[in-house]
Amino acid sequence: MTTAMVKAEGVHKSYGTAHILKGIDLEVAPGEVFCLIGPSGSGKSTFLRCINHLEKVNAGRLYVDGELVGYRQKGDKLYELKDSEVALKRRDIGMVFQRFNLFPHMTAVENVMEAPVQVKGESKAVARERALKLLDRVGLGDKSGNYPSQLSGGQQQRVAIARALAMEPKLMLFDEPTSALDPELVGDVLDVMRDLAESGMTMVVVTHEMGFAREVGDSLVFMDGGVVVESGHPREVLTNPQHERTKAFLSKVL
């Protein structure tokens, strides 16, 4: 039996009195493109941030590739991992945010090289060679010497994807990667994500791009109010939603 790449069991997350995630159970298989949709504030981005322990869960268990996220279990007790141990595990998970968060004083190729050199101790020559290949892969081979300010939003987001891939992750998380972009720039970023999906990368994607979810997604979850309302194959959920809340949401976005 293959281990799920991501497994959530009764995951809860609160900020003070605000109960954001209310018992999330789901599984993402290796090589799967798993799409999360739902209104703002439904807990999608929070859940994504819990997967790589940028947020700590308050209850439940989260596993990535069979390993508990952020904690070690001894007997029936959980012990939080040290920051250095969390950072070590986080190397296997690439994350692409709404905002590109590129270093403004570094060129595209330097942005992509930075983590392998600093975190993995790779030589600059090796890191640079891979960075150039990755920029080529995302269609920016000719922009390697450009600074972020010389790139469009869509180009910056593609550099951010190349940067996440430079660490050779086994899982990629995308938090609404196209929502900050002008509509005409969205397609290029989605094309790169499509290519990644075809190469077999496991991806968890929080998105408003229903076309992408329908064409590329293997599974779709509709979240609202911190719970999974409905899940299934993207085409099935989008064309034939079973739950009234899903129908109401989709009638506004499709």
Side-chain angles (χ1 to χ4, degrees):
M1 201 176 113
T2 15
T3 308
M5 184 56 80
V6 178
K7 186 174 187 181
E9 297 176 345
V11 170
H12 287 257
K13 173 68 188 170
S14 300
Y15 299 103
T17 55
H19 197 171
I20 308 296
L21 299 176
K22 302 170 183 170
I24 301 292
D25 294 295
L26 55 81
E27 269 189 39
V28 182
E32 185 172 19
V33 178
F34 192 96
C35 296
L36 289 166
I37 64 168
S40 292
S42 58
K44 310 180 299 293
S45 295
T46 301
F47 177 69
L48 208 61
R49 292 169 68 84
C50 289
I51 294 175
N52 65 358
H53 207 56
L54 286 174
E55 301 288 354
K56 297 172 187 178
V57 304
N58 299 112
R61 302 265 196 282
L62 249 177
Y63 300 88
V64 169
D65 203 13
E67 291 192 11
L68 201 55
V69 173
Y71 298 91
R72 178 185 297 111
Q73 188 161 351
K74 273 191 182 168
D76 50 6
K77 272 202 155 157
L78 286 185
Y79 297 92
E80 195 164 349
L81 297 179
K82 295 192 192 97
D83 287 351
S84 58
E85 294 173 287
V86 170
L88 202 61
K89 293 188 185 245
R90 204 179 275 146
R91 285 162 43 159
D92 291 332
I93 304 173
M95 182 141 185
V96 178
F97 300 88
Q98 286 180 29
R99 297 279 164 202
F100 329 118
N101 302 336
L102 297 177
F103 295 115
H105 61 289
M106 290 184 183
T107 61
V109 73
E110 287 167 346
N111 264 286
V112 179
M113 287 167 60
E114 179 72 359
V117 171
Q118 298 298 336
V119 180
K120 283 187 169 175
E122 260 181 26
S123 77
K124 287 196 171 175
V126 169
R128 185 181 180 81
E129 195 181 331
R130 186 178 325 109
L132 289 169
K133 280 184 185 153
L134 286 168
L135 287 171
D136 221 25
R137 183 175 176 184
V138 300
L140 293 172
D142 59 337
K143 303 283 186 196
S144 63
N146 289 38
Y147 288 91
S149 60
Q150 298 168 313
L151 300 170
S152 71
Q155 289 169 334
Q156 288 186 60
Q157 191 60 295
R158 284 185 279 155
V159 173
I161 294 173
R163 178 181 58 182
L165 290 173
M167 291 294 282
E168 302 180 306
K170 54 188 171 188
L171 169 66
M172 284 283 282
L173 309 177
F174 291 89
D175 188 7
E176 296 185 19
T178 56
S179 65
L181 302 179
D182 292 335
E184 69 268 25
L185 302 175
V186 167
D188 291 338
V189 172
L190 292 180
D191 285 345
V192 169
M193 291 170 66
R194 216 173 256 119
D195 169 63
L196 260 187
E198 282 165 13
S199 75
M201 175 63 77
T202 312
M203 297 160 63
V204 182
V205 185
V206 172
T207 186
H208 294 301
E209 302 292 336
M210 299 302 157
F212 174 84
R214 186 189 287 111
E215 291 160 44
V216 185
D218 298 303
S219 301
L220 180 80
V221 157
F222 170 65
M223 279 177 71
D224 190 27
V227 298
V228 171
V229 176
E230 190 163 339
S231 63
H233 190 276
R235 287 201 178 108
E236 193 54 40
V237 175
L238 293 172
T239 51
N240 188 22
Q242 300 302 299
H243 198 283
E244 287 308 319
R245 183 66 194 93
T246 318
K247 288 177 189 170
F249 173 76
L250 291 174
S251 71
K252 293 191 180 79
V253 297
L254 288 178

